[in-house]
Amino acid sequence: MEAALAEELLEIAQTTKSPTLKVHNQVPGGVHCSGDLYDAYRVNLHSRIASRVLMRMGVCHYQNENDIYDLVLAQPWEEWFGVEHTIRVDVTAIKSPLKSIEFITLKIKDAVCDRFRDMYNKRPSVNTREPDMRIAGFLDQRQFTIYLDTSGEALFKRGWRTETGDAPLRENLAAGLLRVSGWKPGMPLFDPMCGSGTILCEAAQMVQGVPPGARRSFAFEKFHDFDPAPWRDMKAAIKPNPLPAEPTIFGSDISGDMVAMTRHNLKSAGILFEVPLKQIEAQQVQPPVSIEKTGPGILLTNPPYGERIGVRGDSTMPEDDLAKSFYADLSKTLKQRFAGWTAYLFTADLNLPKLLRLKESRKTPFFNGALECRLFRFDMVAGFNRREEAIPANAATQEKAAAPEQPTSKE
């Protein structure tokens, strides 16, 4: 989602009128940007796609763990937080020649604690569950970078989610899918397998103009030099959008429990307008709006797999056969009922187009955690799965009338 994040950061700089927030290069898993500390506030408040906003403290070439220890020890941690704050250290490495990430993590923690002990004869405590401050180390083949996390809890934790299904999408991944699909507030959006409603909640907050960080706290609020006045001003400057007169976001799911969960999550996310929801099988859905009235819509969904496909299926049928049957029926529904729509299906099953018997017009690689996924785009045109179904009804009648009568027998 690096390109989507870079695009979003430029928008944040523009909409918040920040003259200092600059976007630099994209790197695997992130985007480099620069600005003053207030820009970190802005990105934490407004970014739907970022997982964390990390402030770079120092960088060096390294040969061994002692080089890492020396760089971390030299950083002025005491200018940012106090010995009374708890800390946690996380390390990520790509192609590093050093053998043990656990040992590097220990060296970083020791360096931070030694810095405080040298200055105050006290050291901060470690809290891996709910730390006040998170410190992140990153190693590639030759270079080590140390960061202080300005976010605290990962940014996908918006503060509204209380209920989830079996395998919920992360909120920032849902926001990335919405951006890559080209959906904008005002366009019809339909998720026919909505699960706990993450895609719908993200889209609805965008329609309403609710920033993702409006309902939560951040690590930077515990920094020594945190200035609450500009932070209050930033939040006070949020102007919600007018509520839509007609619904444009729609969802459904085979499970009544999931529909109830989505309704609950929309309420928790502060959504004040109607998002119509139905309990219905995905193979049976109809477009929720007329294309003549609203223009083309976007169908965006994360299809279930395995047991969830069979919520109401035949439990005696093998899982593979159940999936084939499900996707054959879904394909027929898309082709027969959603002409003019663009369908986006996000899945870890790279054989999805084959199961649907549809040719994708685009596939965008994503990672859902460590799982390699694709966002498949299908431009729907009128058509049917079977050749005989494509014969118009009146033509079929004429063909039958023209055929010679066949003898019949009764049993």
Side-chain angles (χ1 to χ4, degrees), residues 51 60 106 123 168 190-191 264:
S51 293
C60 72
L106 186 65
R123 48 164 287 170
F190 180 35
D191 183 351
H264 174 87

Side-chain angles (χ1 to χ4, degrees), residues 372-390:
E372 187 179 352
C373 299
R374 293 285 184 278
L375 179 63
F376 288 106
R377 169 179 168 159
F378 301 98
D379 297 320
M380 303 315 304
V381 292
F384 302 91
N385 269 343
R386 297 187 185 87
R387 193 172 161 221
E388 60 267 23
E389 287 176 343

Side-chain angles (χ1 to χ4, degrees), residues 8 24 36 119 126 140 203 207 242-243 257 285 300 342 353 373 408:
E8 183 190 55
H24 305 294
D36 61 24
M119 300 188 78
V126 172
D140 61 20
V207 167
L243 300 181
D257 290 345
V285 295
L300 173 62
T342 307
C373 299
T408 60

Side-chain angles (χ1 to χ4, degrees), residues 18 122 153 161 169 238 278 285 288 308 316 340 347 382 400:
S18 170
K122 285 183 183 175
E153 283 271 41
R161 188 194 282 283
L169 285 179
I238 297 164
K278 265 188 189 178
V285 295
R308 270 202 66 210
T316 62
T347 180
K400 189 176 178 184

Side-chain angles (χ1 to χ4, degrees), residues 142-208:
R142 298 184 187 85
Q143 199 163 267
F144 168 70
T145 312
I146 189 75
Y147 298 96
L148 180 58
D149 186 346
T150 70
S151 302
E153 283 271 41
L155 293 182
F156 69 82
K157 296 183 179 179
R158 313 288 201 220
W160 58 259
R161 188 194 282 283
T162 55
E163 296 189 33
T164 67
D166 291 339
L169 285 179
R170 285 183 173 181
E171 290 81 341
N172 64 330
L173 177 54
L177 297 175
L178 284 162
R179 181 172 283 268
V180 171
S181 76
W183 179 81
K184 297 273 195 297
M187 293 171 68
L189 176 72
F190 180 35
D191 183 351
M193 293 171 265
C194 65
S196 58
T198 311
I199 290 171
L200 300 178
C201 288
E202 283 298 303
Q205 283 200 333
M206 289 162 73
V207 167
Q208 200 167 302

Side-chain angles (χ1 to χ4, degrees), residues 39-89:
D39 289 318
Y41 297 4
R42 292 182 183 100
V43 177
N44 275 296
L45 177 61
H46 291 287
S47 177
R48 292 195 171 277
I49 297 174
S51 293
R52 297 184 176 281
V53 183
L54 302 176
M55 180 170 61
R56 188 171 68 197
M57 300 290 287
V59 60
C60 72
H61 287 283
Y62 72 92
Q63 289 183 321
N64 55 43
E65 290 83 358
N66 291 332
D67 295 332
I68 290 167
Y69 175 91
D70 291 343
L71 179 74
V72 176
L73 184 69
Q75 303 312 311
W77 302 106
E78 70 284 353
E79 292 179 11
W80 296 96
F81 61 91
V83 74
E84 72 281 3
H85 288 113
T86 57
I87 63 168
R88 169 180 169 146
V89 176

Side-chain angles (χ1 to χ4, degrees), residues 44-46 158 210-218 231 235 238:
N44 275 296
L45 177 61
H46 291 287
R158 313 288 201 220
V210 178
R215 302 159 70 91
R216 55 161 284 172
S217 58
F218 299 94
W231 178 231
K235 293 206 278 190
I238 297 164

